[in-house]
């Protein structure tokens, strides 16, 4: 690791990784006391991925976590009490007991979309969030995570392909923790690097050491800014290891001992502490201060969560439908002139131009006669009707271009 | 056609398809948060030309041609709706909606209940048989979704309702599935008013008043039911015909009021029999109007088979006025 962040940024990353682990440690205790209603999933050993990537987002950006992204939620501003109460099915939890784990969101303030258990569904959803942000002129980026296992779902591929054709400002973190429940990655995906999934969609990708929080952060930061600048979606493969079973009930005896030992010796927090200490960014006193701060915070948060009531039974019947303005006032937050997307300025000549018929240009192979070239809409528009003013400079009007970006760009990130 | 124009005046007579096009056009004109997303909806104007002209007027950012990826269409629309947009998704044929079944039933439908996230979006597309589309272009998949709390399901029968209900669907804060019976697209015309109007979601309408029995139907079969009712009238049987218009939420009040008057009920739907809405209506009548019934609830539906291709097979498969007439006569004898 080389120094490239401010001291505060280094310490933030450390704080959130420690907080991530402490929150989960506390939930293990609550689980053993039967205070957690359903399953409990662990991100032990993967904290650098959640924390490093989410830390690259701005406040206005959107994220959608998976079950092993408690760290991302904490970075985005979710209170530990909300995470405790979600797991404990409490009435004061964000879903008021209607769902558990990290299955909650916040559309208005934190810009978090709730995940569901069906893997891959978030990819098209966050593509839509990214497209809406661009449409409204908000210059936001959307980020979500997927596992090595989840990258085999159909909707992963539908979503990523659609994001690519739309050049959506979307960053997908593929957490390769080597295990999908009990199935090793080699039995799921015949690829050495899951980042190569990106090649199929003509988008750029990175491969990062998922146990190196600085590498995770700096790569994610670069990806987020490239996506924001209009370069389209980017895939980051974070290579790591799932240290616990799929959930608490699973002792994961199928994992070879040597494999576990290898990864336990590469604990992301221990590695980072070593780096911080050697760079004189953290000493014993700082460390103790951070520990005390976290302990005090979590004691308070846990107390609040334990004191929260269970939801009243009849609450089960409420809230299936939005009842209208009294329930939710839905409004688009425009940050560009509406005149740009309404007639007459929105009007176009609705034709495609298809250059390079059969030239293979689009498929980047000179002798690929079965492939058509890039397909573009006609730009022969009346003055003022084409590209509206005030768009971000690097933005490509996406519906006009179904264009493959240079492929084979799987790059090694800084380590 | 009785009762199809909702009493509108100063309007013009348009096809069912034109009414849908007008609804989308006017909603996109009214609210820049409305976008259309689907396969071939832009340059081509939709496989049935329901979105013809929308791209020319509203541009590439609002009329979005997608890859053949129904889950991506629904998922992306859901994400857009979370940001305050009101997307309309077109399924090129409604048969393909099941490719996005998980996205609709698990993601879109449950969001408001679970985490207080409304998803104001519409999923619409051509449905139904009678046009020899074969087993994968003729489906009536409405009941998969009527069984999903959190969705609203609309299946109109007239141009007036199609336009007014589609506008209401776009303005609704919930995910609404909007089924357009393709047999009706160019075969029926009806008056629509010149100005803006909506038709309330969740309200059935009495298309024909009668006293001897109630025929409940929707979509294309509503017209077939009216045809049968006219034939029944020749024999002195006055059937009341109810057009459900919305299947979820179901307008129980209109159903119960009619059956309390006629004491007999026949449900007609083009959907297959087992698990069709007739079963649900039968249960509601048993629970809430058992004492009012003078005969069994009867149903005329499609067969419990896939939709066959050959005209002879499809005609045998589908309900028709003759089948409705016979069932109604049998019911009237009670």
């Amino acid at each position: 690791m080389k120094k490239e962040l401010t001291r505060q940024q280094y310490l933030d990353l450390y704080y959130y990784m420690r907080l991530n682990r402490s929150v989960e440690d506390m939930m293990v205790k609550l689980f053993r006391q039967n205070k957690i209603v359903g399953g409990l999933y662990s991100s032990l050993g993967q904290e650098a991925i959640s924390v490093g990537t989410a830390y690259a987002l701005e406040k206005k950006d959107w994220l959608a976590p998976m079950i092993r992204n408690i760290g991302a939620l904490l970075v985005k501003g979710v209170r530990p009490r909300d995470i405790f109460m979600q797991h404990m099915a409490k009435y004061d939890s964000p879903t008021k007991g209607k769902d558990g784990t990290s299955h909650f969101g916040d559309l208005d303030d934190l810009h978090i979309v709730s995940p569901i258990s069906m893997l891959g569904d978030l990819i098209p959803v966050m593509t839509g969030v990214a497209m809406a942000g661009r449409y409204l002129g908000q210059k936001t980026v959307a980020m979500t995570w997927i596992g090595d296992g989840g990258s085999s779902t159909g909707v992963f591929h539908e979503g990523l392909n659609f994001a690519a054709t739309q050049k959506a400002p979307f960053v997908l973190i593929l957490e390769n923790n080597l295990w999908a429940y009990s199935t090793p990655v080699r039995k799921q995906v015949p690829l050495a690097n899951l980042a190569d999934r990106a090649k199929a969609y003509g988008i750029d990708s990175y491969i990062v050491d998922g146990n190196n929080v600085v590498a995770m952060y700096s790569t994610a930061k670069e990806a987020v800014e490239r996506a924001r600048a209009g370069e389209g979606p980017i895939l980051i493969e974070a290579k790591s290891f799932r240290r616990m079973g799929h959930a608490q009930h699973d002792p994961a005896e199928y994992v070879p001992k040597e494999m576990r030992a290898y990864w336990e010796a590469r604990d992301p927090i221990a590695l980072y502490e070593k780096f911080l200490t050697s760079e004189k960014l953290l000493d014993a006193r700082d460390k103790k201060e951070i520990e005390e701060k976290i302990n005090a915070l979590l004691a308070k948060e846990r107390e609040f969560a334990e004191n929260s009531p269970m939801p009243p039974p009849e609450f089960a019947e409420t809230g299936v439908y939005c009842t209208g303005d009294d329930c939710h006032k839905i409004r688009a937050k425009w940050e560009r002139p509406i005149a740009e997307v309404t007639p007459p300025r929105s009007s176009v000549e609705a034709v495609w131009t298809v250059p390079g018929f059969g030239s293979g240009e689009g498929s980047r192979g000179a002798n690929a006669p079965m492939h058509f070239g890039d397909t573009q809409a006609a730009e022969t528009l009346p003055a003022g009707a084409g590209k509206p003013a005030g768009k971000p400079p690097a933005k490509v009007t996406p519906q006009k271009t179904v264009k493959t970006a240079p492929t084979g760009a799987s790059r090694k990130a800084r380590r | 056609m009785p009762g199809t124009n909702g009493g509108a005046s100063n309007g013009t007579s348009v096809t069912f398809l034109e009414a849908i096009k007008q609804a989308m056009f006017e909603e996109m004109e009214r609210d820049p948060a409305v976008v259309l997303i689907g396969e071939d909806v832009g340059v081509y104007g939709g496989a049935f030309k329901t979105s013809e002209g929308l791209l020319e007027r509203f541009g590439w950012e609002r009329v979005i041609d997608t890859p053949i990826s129904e889950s991506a269409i629904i998922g992306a629309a859901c994400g857009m709706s979370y940001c305050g947009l009101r997307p309309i998704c077109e399924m090129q044929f409604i048969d393909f909606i099941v490719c996005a079944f998980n996205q609709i039933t698990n993601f879109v439908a449950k969001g408001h209940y679970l985490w207080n996230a409304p998803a104001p979006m519409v999923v619409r597309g051509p449905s139904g048989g009678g046009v020899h589309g074969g087993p994968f272009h003729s489906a009536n998949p409405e009941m998969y979704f009527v069984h999903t709390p959190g969705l609203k399901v609309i299946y109109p029968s007239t141009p007036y309702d199609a336009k007014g209900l589609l506008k209401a669907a776009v303005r609704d804060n919930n995910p609404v599935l909007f089924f357009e019976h393709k047999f009706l697209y160019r075969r029926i015309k009806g008056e629509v008013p010149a100005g803006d109007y909506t038709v309330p979601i969740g309200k059935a309408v009495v298309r024909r008043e009668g006293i001897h029995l109630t025929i409940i139907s929707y979509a294309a079969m509503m017209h077939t039911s009216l045809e049968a009712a006219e034939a029944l009238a020749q024999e002195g049987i006055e059937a009341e015909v109810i057009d459900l218009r919305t299947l979820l939420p179901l307008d129980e009040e209109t159903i119960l009021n009619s059956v309390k008057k006629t004491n007999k009920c026949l449900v007609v739907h083009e959907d297959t029999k087992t698990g069709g809405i007739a079963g649900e209506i039968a249960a509601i009548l048993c629970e809430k109007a058992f004492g009012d019934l003078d005969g069994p609830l009867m149903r005329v539906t499609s067969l419990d088979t896939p939709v066959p291709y050959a005209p002879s097979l499809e005609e045998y498969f589908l309900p028709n006025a003759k089948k409705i007439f016979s069932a109604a006569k049998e019911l009237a004898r009670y």
Side-chain angles (χ1 to χ4, degrees):
Chain A
M1 298 183 202
K2 73 175 200 288
K3 267 208 237 181
E4 49 200 9
L5 285 71
T6 66
R7 179 169 188 269
Q8 190 55 49
Q9 287 177 314
Y10 280 117
L11 291 181
D12 280 354
L13 291 173
Y14 181 67
Y15 170 79
Y16 283 116
M17 282 209 290
R18 290 295 304 261
L19 183 62
N20 184 167
R21 185 162 295 181
S22 300
V23 163
E24 293 193 16
D25 283 348
M26 188 166 273
M27 287 201 292
V28 172
K29 288 185 192 129
L30 292 167
F31 184 84
R32 290 181 180 151
Q33 294 169 1
N34 282 328
K35 287 174 179 165
I36 282 178
V37 172
L40 178 62
Y41 304 85
S42 169
S43 67
L44 182 69
Q46 295 174 239
E47 295 92 340
I49 303 171
S50 288
V51 169
T53 51
Y55 196 68
L57 295 173
E58 291 181 16
K59 189 176 184 301
K60 68 180 178 182
D61 292 333
W62 288 74
L63 65 75
M66 296 280 283
I67 46 169
R68 299 190 210 286
N69 297 118
I70 295 292
L73 293 176
L74 294 167
V75 170
K76 200 79 168 76
V78 170
R79 296 171 303 181
R81 67 175 64 173
D82 288 336
I83 296 163
F84 295 150
M85 289 190 296
Q86 273 293 115
H87 286 80
M88 297 163 87
K90 295 299 185 105
Y91 195 37
D92 296 312
S93 78
T95 63
K96 300 187 187 299
K98 285 176 173 171
D99 201 354
T101 66
S102 62
H103 289 190
F104 64 97
D106 179 354
L107 295 179
D108 296 325
D109 187 28
L110 297 179
H111 289 179
I112 295 171
V113 172
S114 173
I116 69 168
S117 302
M118 289 68 193
L119 303 179
D121 275 17
L122 286 166
I123 295 169
V125 172
M126 295 310 279
T127 298
V129 166
M131 289 168 68
R134 176 175 59 193
Y135 177 63
L136 295 168
Q138 296 169 342
K139 301 183 178 65
T140 45
V141 173
M143 176 184 282
T144 190
W145 293 259
I146 190 75
D148 41 302
S151 78
S152 298
T153 61
V155 73
F156 171 99
H157 295 278
E158 284 199 16
L160 201 51
N161 180 61
F162 184 49
T165 62
Q166 288 290 323
K167 282 205 153 202
F170 169 59
V171 177
L172 179 61
I173 315 298
L174 204 167
E175 287 192 71
N176 181 358
N177 67 15
L178 305 178
W179 293 89
Y181 211 141
S182 72
T183 308
V185 68
R186 283 292 168 273
K187 287 285 178 191
Q188 311 163 44
V189 187
L191 290 172
N193 296 312
L194 300 192
D196 287 349
R197 297 278 206 207
K199 285 182 185 171
Y201 308 112
I203 63 170
D204 273 1
S205 64
Y206 297 83
I207 297 171
V208 192
D209 175 358
N211 289 27
N212 179 338
V213 71
V214 176
M216 279 315 311
Y217 165 73
S218 49
T219 309
K221 184 77 184 159
E222 185 175 310
V224 164
E225 293 321 318
R226 287 181 63 193
R228 199 188 307 283
E231 290 188 42
I234 291 175
L235 176 72
I236 299 176
E237 179 188 2
K239 290 189 186 287
S240 188
F241 174 72
R242 196 194 72 205
R243 297 246 296 267
M244 301 295 283
H246 173 64
Q248 277 288 320
H249 65 273
D250 171 22
E253 283 157 351
Y254 43 78
V255 175
K257 284 195 179 62
E258 307 73 31
M259 186 185 211
R260 188 186 301 284
Y262 172 83
W263 286 96
E264 278 174 357
R266 303 190 68 253
D267 180 79
I269 296 180
L271 285 177
Y272 191 45
E273 263 179 25
K274 211 168 139 190
F275 164 79
L276 291 176
T277 310
S278 72
E279 295 289 329
K280 304 215 178 333
L281 292 160
L282 181 85
D283 60 23
R285 210 186 62 190
D286 301 327
K287 192 178 158 185
K288 191 159 171 267
E289 248 174 50
I290 289 170
E291 278 166 6
E292 280 169 0
K293 184 180 163 190
I294 289 173
N295 290 343
L297 171 70
L298 294 192
K300 211 174 75 206
E301 296 288 283
R302 175 187 176 156
E303 193 189 348
F304 184 95
E306 295 214 40
N307 288 333
S308 173
M310 283 299 193
E314 318 77 62
F315 184 64
E317 242 183 332
T318 64
V320 175
Y321 293 96
C322 176
T323 52
D325 278 0
D326 55 319
C327 183
H328 286 94
K329 277 196 168 55
I330 293 169
R331 59 187 182 87
K333 291 171 191 149
W334 290 92
E335 290 183 23
R336 67 189 281 201
I338 286 173
E340 289 178 7
V341 294
T342 46
R345 279 177 71 182
S346 65
S347 300
V348 295
E349 193 182 338
V351 289
W352 303 114
T353 58
V354 186
F357 288 95
S359 69
E361 195 187 326
S363 57
R364 302 183 63 77
N367 298 311
M370 295 310 288
H371 289 254
F372 286 84
D374 291 348
T375 306
Q376 281 192 313
E379 300 261 9
T380 52
L381 304 172
K387 279 190 178 157
K391 283 187 179 180
K395 183 177 163 188
V396 176
T397 308
Q399 294 80 2
K400 287 185 175 178
T401 310
V402 184
K403 181 176 172 184
T404 52
T407 54
S410 177
R411 302 197 228 157
K412 297 266 181 194
R414 285 159 286 183
R415 290 185 185 246
Chain B
M1 203 163 294
T4 47
N5 67 6
S9 58
N10 301 323
T12 49
S13 187
V14 300
T15 61
F16 196 88
L17 190 143
E18 177 63 24
I20 288 160
K21 192 195 290 184
Q22 283 182 8
M24 290 199 286
F25 185 94
E26 289 174 23
E27 288 305 290
M28 291 182 79
E29 197 80 37
R30 181 187 61 81
D31 182 358
V34 180
V35 300
L36 175 66
I37 174 168
E39 295 155 17
D40 307 297
V41 295
V43 171
Y44 191 60
F48 286 85
K49 303 292 176 195
T50 37
S51 54
E52 198 170 42
L54 293 183
L55 173 61
E56 281 89 335
R57 183 142 181 92
F58 299 106
W60 304 99
E61 289 191 85
R62 296 184 64 187
V63 181
I64 303 165
D65 276 321
T66 70
I68 304 171
S69 304
E70 284 78 13
S71 285
I73 294 169
I74 301 291
C78 181
M80 290 175 179
S81 76
Y82 289 161
C83 301
L85 302 189
R86 291 182 176 273
I88 302 170
C89 308
E90 176 170 302
M91 300 284 104
Q92 193 158 84
F93 282 80
I94 209 72
D95 306 63
F96 306 132
I97 196 172
V98 293
C99 299
F101 191 78
N102 173 52
Q103 200 70 249
I104 294 173
T105 58
N106 275 318
F107 208 102
V108 172
K110 293 177 182 170
H112 190 267
Y113 181 78
L114 296 179
W115 62 286
N116 198 28
M121 56 185 278
V122 178
V123 183
R124 48 158 289 273
S127 56
V131 297
H132 314 314
F136 305 108
H137 291 74
S138 306
N140 286 294
E142 59 267 26
M143 292 307 289
Y144 297 141
F145 303 101
V146 170
H147 195 61
T148 304
L151 301 176
K152 295 186 179 182
V153 178
I154 296 172
Y155 211 155
S157 72
T158 68
Y160 177 87
D161 281 353
K163 183 173 176 182
L165 280 163
L166 184 51
K167 281 166 160 268
V170 170
R171 299 175 199 186
D172 199 281
N173 283 359
N174 297 282
V176 181
L177 307 191
F178 190 90
F179 293 79
E180 302 163 4
H181 202 296
K182 67 175 88 68
F183 185 87
L184 304 178
Y185 266 165
R186 293 184 174 88
R187 283 183 179 84
I188 66 160
K189 287 182 104 176
E191 274 201 12
V192 295
D196 183 45
Y197 73 99
T198 59
V199 171
I201 297 171
K203 293 270 181 248
V205 66
V206 176
R207 293 284 178 211
R208 182 187 195 283
E209 301 222 3
I211 50 169
H212 296 120
L213 73 146
T214 300
I215 300 176
I216 299 175
S217 192
Y218 59 95
M221 281 302 136
M222 202 286 295
H223 300 286
T224 315
S225 297
L226 283 173
E227 194 187 324
E230 292 310 312
L232 288 164
Q234 302 297 313
E235 309 216 348
I237 300 168
E238 292 297 336
E240 181 142 304
V241 178
I242 293 178
D243 182 357
L244 291 174
R245 305 197 285 192
T246 300
L247 303 180
L248 182 67
L250 194 60
D251 181 358
E252 291 188 11
E253 196 187 342
T254 300
I255 295 170
L256 291 169
N257 285 344
S258 178
V259 172
K260 279 174 183 171
K261 182 172 76 174
T262 64
N263 310 113
K264 289 169 190 171
C265 184
L266 169 69
V267 183
V268 180
H269 56 65
E270 191 185 299
D271 188 11
T272 51
K273 184 176 250 181
T274 305
I277 195 101
E280 187 59 31
I281 292 170
I284 290 166
L285 293 178
C286 284
E287 285 167 354
K288 299 186 178 170
F290 191 67
D292 294 312
L293 289 173
D294 284 347
L297 180 128
M298 294 184 70
R299 40 187 177 165
V300 175
T301 69
S302 290
L303 304 180
D304 277 333
T305 69
V307 186
Y309 176 51
S312 60
L313 301 179
E314 191 182 16
E315 278 159 28
Y316 185 79
F317 163 87
L318 288 171
N320 57 37
K322 213 172 135 191
K323 293 179 192 175
I324 299 166
F325 178 85
S326 313
K329 273 195 75 170
E330 191 188 332
L331 181 57
R333 279 200 290 272
Y334 279 89

